[in-house]
mmCIF file of all heavy atoms in Angstrom:
data_model
loop_
_atom_site.group_PDB
_atom_site.id
_atom_site.type_symbol
_atom_site.label_atom_id
_atom_site.label_comp_id
_atom_site.label_asym_id
_atom_site.label_seq_id
_atom_site.Cartn_x
_atom_site.Cartn_y
_atom_site.Cartn_z
ATOM 1 N N TRP A 47 25.397 -25.023 -9.637
ATOM 2 C CA TRP A 47 26.445 -24.184 -10.210
ATOM 3 C C TRP A 47 27.382 -24.975 -11.117
ATOM 4 O O TRP A 47 28.005 -24.398 -12.000
ATOM 5 C CB TRP A 47 27.220 -23.495 -9.100
ATOM 6 C CG TRP A 47 26.311 -22.699 -8.208
ATOM 7 C CD1 TRP A 47 25.991 -22.948 -6.918
ATOM 8 C CD2 TRP A 47 25.548 -21.550 -8.592
ATOM 9 N NE1 TRP A 47 25.092 -22.020 -6.451
ATOM 10 C CE2 TRP A 47 24.804 -21.147 -7.452
ATOM 11 C CE3 TRP A 47 25.425 -20.821 -9.771
ATOM 12 C CZ2 TRP A 47 23.957 -20.053 -7.486
ATOM 13 C CZ3 TRP A 47 24.569 -19.729 -9.793
ATOM 14 C CH2 TRP A 47 23.851 -19.349 -8.673
ATOM 15 N N TYR A 103 69.186 -19.688 -17.284
ATOM 16 C CA TYR A 103 68.696 -19.598 -15.916
ATOM 17 C C TYR A 103 68.126 -18.233 -15.558
ATOM 18 O O TYR A 103 67.589 -18.070 -14.451
ATOM 19 C CB TYR A 103 69.827 -19.932 -14.944
ATOM 20 C CG TYR A 103 70.335 -21.348 -15.080
ATOM 21 C CD1 TYR A 103 71.698 -21.622 -15.110
ATOM 22 C CD2 TYR A 103 69.447 -22.412 -15.185
ATOM 23 C CE1 TYR A 103 72.166 -22.929 -15.245
ATOM 24 C CE2 TYR A 103 69.903 -23.713 -15.320
ATOM 25 C CZ TYR A 103 71.262 -23.969 -15.350
ATOM 26 O OH TYR A 103 71.710 -25.259 -15.483
ATOM 27 N N PRO A 211 43.044 -10.131 -27.561
ATOM 28 C CA PRO A 211 41.584 -10.260 -27.397
ATOM 29 C C PRO A 211 41.030 -11.565 -27.935
ATOM 30 O O PRO A 211 39.938 -11.978 -27.551
ATOM 31 C CB PRO A 211 41.050 -9.056 -28.196
ATOM 32 C CG PRO A 211 42.139 -8.707 -29.155
ATOM 33 C CD PRO A 211 43.422 -9.028 -28.459
ATOM 34 N N LYS A 219 40.696 -15.192 -17.024
ATOM 35 C CA LYS A 219 39.236 -15.137 -16.933
ATOM 36 C C LYS A 219 38.774 -15.158 -15.487
ATOM 37 O O LYS A 219 37.875 -14.397 -15.095
ATOM 38 C CB LYS A 219 38.635 -16.325 -17.700
ATOM 39 C CG LYS A 219 37.113 -16.318 -17.764
ATOM 40 C CD LYS A 219 36.598 -15.103 -18.505
ATOM 41 C CE LYS A 219 35.079 -15.090 -18.547
ATOM 42 N NZ LYS A 219 34.556 -13.886 -19.222
ATOM 43 N N ILE A 220 39.384 -16.003 -14.672
ATOM 44 C CA ILE A 220 39.003 -16.075 -13.261
ATOM 45 C C ILE A 220 39.333 -14.765 -12.555
ATOM 46 O O ILE A 220 38.536 -14.240 -11.769
ATOM 47 C CB ILE A 220 39.709 -17.262 -12.578
ATOM 48 C CG1 ILE A 220 39.189 -18.586 -13.151
ATOM 49 C CG2 ILE A 220 39.498 -17.224 -11.070
ATOM 50 C CD1 ILE A 220 39.900 -19.803 -12.621
ATOM 51 N N ARG A 263 62.310 -55.629 -7.952
ATOM 52 C CA ARG A 263 62.185 -57.041 -8.337
ATOM 53 C C ARG A 263 63.228 -57.411 -9.389
ATOM 54 O O ARG A 263 63.839 -58.486 -9.334
ATOM 55 C CB ARG A 263 60.774 -57.331 -8.854
ATOM 56 C CG ARG A 263 59.705 -57.337 -7.774
ATOM 57 C CD ARG A 263 58.432 -57.963 -8.283
ATOM 58 N NE ARG A 263 57.874 -57.217 -9.411
ATOM 59 C CZ ARG A 263 56.966 -56.266 -9.288
ATOM 60 N NH1 ARG A 263 56.512 -55.943 -8.080
ATOM 61 N NH2 ARG A 263 56.488 -55.626 -10.340
ATOM 62 N N ALA A 272 73.122 -63.648 -10.768
ATOM 63 C CA ALA A 272 74.573 -63.519 -10.659
ATOM 64 C C ALA A 272 75.139 -64.448 -9.595
ATOM 65 O O ALA A 272 76.251 -64.938 -9.686
ATOM 66 C CB ALA A 272 74.928 -62.072 -10.318
#
Side-chain angles (χ1 to χ4, degrees):
W47 304 111
Y103 297 134
K219 184 63 181 178
I220 293 175
R263 288 194 298 267

